[in-house]
Amino acid sequence: MTARAQLILANRAFLDHEAPRWADSPSSASSGGLLAAVRPVIAPWDGRSGTTWIGVGMGRYDREWVDERGFEILDTPRGPLRHRRLFFGSAIWQGHYGEVANSFTWPLFHLVRVDLPRATPYYPAPVLPTESGWHSFVVVNRAFAEAACEEGGAPSCWVHDYQLALVPGMLRARGFGGPIGFFLHIPFPSLAVAAPYLEGGSRERLRAIVEGMLGADLVGLQTTDDVARFVEAAGELCDARPTAGGLSVGGRLVRVGAYPVGIDPEEVLAAAKRAKPVTRVGMARELGLPVVVGLERGDFTKGIPERLRAIAEAYRRGVRFAYVGIASPTREGVEAYGALEVAIEREAARAREAAYWVGCPFTQVRASIGWDDVVSLQRDADVVFTSSLADGMNLVPLQAAVAQSLRPAGERAVVLAGVDAGVAKVYGGDGSRGLRAVDPLDQESLVAALVEGLAGQPARISDAFIAEVHAHDARSWGERFLADLEESC
Ligand code: G6P
């Protein structure tokens, strides 16, 4: 039987209600890799069984849509979804989301190879949360654990990502009846690289996070490198011992494995078939220029300033192309993101000027664009330029491969991806199949990769790469994790 998710716990709700009920306008879907990956393993709710999703109520009008316990049945393209929202006051939310999740854990966990706060002028040093911030994190995690325990029938529970890392341990402490799975969508850090930021109380906070994760029966990470770093940290911080299939923790087996996430190729293909070309691409074509595209959440892990600097340098050397860069606003109000905006503005201004002197259109905007426009840009680009400093997976290269499959092989794009992104580790970044790993901190090699990419070098997206993206899609990822989870108890 195909495994289906019973209970999903994620910080993000499946969607946020940003319009009042009476307005009858569509609610905005949440963004980010987690949602894209998890959607395909949702089983429609038939009134008694199916998937239940528990997330935080972040939408402006969420309360209008739910009953007094936060429940509603959402109408989704995959059928009805039983959905519960948990609501928190602004102080708790600021501590949990602003302090612990996104000013401490998120920047810390991306320290896999390079001390990024030292290597760039804008990447924030992970900040030790205040006592009250940490308390808020505990409160939110506890609310999720309690909500899961209120579900009857001992379902299997799949907890997602760093914001809820304490939940598996809390579920175990409460005697949760079913199997407990945890998946980390972001990288797991190297203790050696993160060492400068683990002084004071930070090491203890990281230890508590790892201990929370170890409450699961199965811990999934993106890559085998993440698994190795997690196993090492669990040993050093929590006395967990490597054993066949995972870790031994206080005499209990915690299975640990690499489960690289995938995308839903059908969703991308459907959009690629119907989406119109965006105006800026049309203009570039009229000028006879190739198009380079950069799309992502405007996050400090994405290497956007480094990419813009490489683009400016290519223009200065007389290379001609149009650039369309779109960074969607994310985590607004989280202080750690402030310096990034300044860095992007500065580099974008330089690149714009360099583009002007060679008569090329250059765009770098901060905007949320619709799904069809995202896929349209991925389909029509000649170079898909991602440059993450570190990334759990980075789904953009995978989406681009599928979107470009509609084009003849000889006209497809070259995709660039940061060498420390999961996608480069999992799919191989030697460039022979159209995916080339680049080091965003090595300016000269970034420029060279861009220039070669514009010439279709080392190779354009190949049928083999596209087939692999299809084979490792989100559905098979979820099913594999859930099947292993069922077996783990
Ligand atoms: C990444 C994280 C997700 C997160 C998403 C969007 O993909 O792994 O857990 O949901 O970014 O971030 P946000 O803070 O808006 O939920």
Side-chain angles (χ1 to χ4, degrees):
M1 204 189 80
T2 328
R4 284 279 179 255
Q6 294 176 314
L7 188 53
I8 290 177
L9 269 54
N11 194 60
R12 276 263 157 212
F14 183 84
L15 58 76
D16 298 331
H17 292 294
E18 294 298 354
R21 254 192 125 134
W22 55 262
D24 205 26
S25 60
S27 298
S28 68
S30 305
S31 69
L34 187 157
L35 261 293
V38 180
R39 271 198 299 259
V41 281
I42 290 174
W45 180 253
D46 65 9
R48 278 182 314 133
S49 64
T51 303
T52 296
W53 183 300
I54 305 179
V56 175
M58 297 189 209
R60 207 136 63 97
Y61 292 94
D62 279 348
R63 283 189 197 267
E64 286 189 11
W65 294 80
V66 301
D67 69 15
E68 67 287 353
R69 293 176 65 218
F71 279 102
E72 78 196 286
I73 303 293
L74 278 176
D75 194 16
T76 81
R78 290 186 171 76
L81 170 65
R82 183 166 173 262
H83 193 277
R84 183 174 186 185
R85 294 171 202 273
L86 306 177
F87 294 94
F88 302 97
S90 59
I92 294 285
W93 186 245
Q94 162 56 20
H96 163 75
Y97 184 79
E99 274 194 54
V100 181
N102 291 318
S103 299
F104 176 65
T105 317
W106 176 270
L108 179 70
F109 274 41
H110 285 80
L111 303 183
V112 296
R113 185 178 59 92
V114 178
D115 181 346
L116 293 168
R118 288 196 57 175
T120 78
Y122 62 85
Y123 191 103
V127 180
L128 172 65
T130 60
E131 285 298 324
S132 86
W134 182 260
H135 173 71
S136 303
F137 182 58
V138 172
V139 166
V140 172
N141 276 253
R142 195 190 296 139
F144 271 91
E146 281 166 2
C149 288
E150 285 168 23
E151 295 294 315
S156 66
C157 181
W158 192 358
V159 185
H160 290 268
D161 232 357
Y162 62 103
Q163 305 94 337
L164 302 184
L166 303 182
V167 172
M170 291 173 166
L171 287 174
R172 186 158 301 283
R174 283 165 173 71
F176 184 81
I180 304 166
F182 179 83
F183 185 77
L184 185 69
H185 291 256
I186 68 174
F188 191 86
S190 147
L191 285 186
V193 178
Y197 312 102
L198 293 178
E199 279 154 17
S202 294
R203 193 179 168 89
E204 169 51 26
R205 294 312 188 203
L206 176 61
R207 193 201 62 73
I209 287 171
V210 173
E211 188 178 75
M213 292 167 68
L214 290 171
D217 296 295
L218 173 62
V219 175
L221 300 109
Q222 296 275 18
T223 69
T224 50
D225 288 355
D226 292 312
V227 169
R229 290 188 292 262
F230 177 71
V231 165
E232 192 202 347
E236 206 166 300
L237 300 170
C238 301
D239 259 349
R241 281 192 321 280
T243 174
L247 289 163
S248 165
V249 184
R252 188 171 59 82
L253 172 67
V254 180
R255 293 232 233 155
V256 182
Y259 297 82
V261 288
I263 58 160
D264 180 350
E266 298 314 318
E267 204 177 49
V268 176
L269 267 182
K273 283 180 186 155
R274 71 174 172 246
K276 297 192 182 64
V278 306
T279 320
R280 286 193 173 88
V281 170
M283 281 158 54
R285 296 275 180 252
E286 272 168 31
L287 293 168
L289 293 172
V291 179
V292 178
V293 162
L295 290 172
E296 57 258 308
R297 283 188 310 108
D299 197 279
F300 50 76
T301 58
K302 302 291 184 185
I304 302 170
E306 286 71 15
R307 181 191 320 150
L308 294 175
R309 205 173 311 140
I311 283 167
E313 183 54 28
Y315 283 138
R316 281 188 208 110
R317 293 181 193 175
V319 185
R320 302 194 71 240
F321 56 95
Y323 180 71
V324 184
I326 301 175
S328 59
T330 187
R331 302 183 187 157
E332 291 172 280
V334 176
E335 222 180 287
Y337 284 73
L340 172 69
E341 278 316 307
V342 177
I344 292 178
E345 296 273 310
R346 189 181 50 229
E347 298 303 338
R350 290 177 181 158
R352 196 170 292 117
E353 190 187 334
Y356 172 81
W357 290 111
V358 283
C360 291
F362 169 91
T363 312
Q364 176 66 40
V365 291
R366 193 168 171 274
S368 295
I369 58 170
W371 171 242
D372 280 16
D373 284 344
V374 167
V375 176
S376 164
L377 283 163
Q378 290 171 341
R379 177 196 63 203
D380 296 339
D382 298 296
V383 173
V384 177
F385 200 165
T386 68
S387 49
S388 293
L389 300 167
D391 215 323
M393 174 56 60
N394 193 357
L395 300 182
V396 172
L398 307 182
Q399 291 163 346
V402 172
Q404 294 255 340
S405 66
L406 297 180
R407 296 171 74 174
E411 291 174 21
R412 291 183 196 142
V414 171
V415 185
L416 308 181
V419 65
D420 289 316
V423 68
K425 309 263 175 221
V426 173
Y427 288 85
D430 67 2
S432 62
R433 302 187 309 161
L435 176 69
R436 179 176 188 173
V438 291
D439 181 353
L441 296 168
D442 178 348
Q443 175 72 12
E444 196 47 48
S445 74
L446 213 54
V447 177
L450 169 60
V451 173
E452 285 168 32
L454 284 164
Q457 300 294 333
R460 300 180 189 277
I461 293 167
S462 71
D463 290 343
F465 179 28
I466 295 167
E468 206 181 330
V469 176
H470 277 269
H472 299 294
D473 65 358
R475 184 181 301 278
S476 62
W477 164 75
E479 288 177 353
R480 201 182 130 227
F481 185 93
L482 289 166
D484 288 355
L485 179 60
E486 293 297 334
E487 261 178 33
S488 67
C489 288

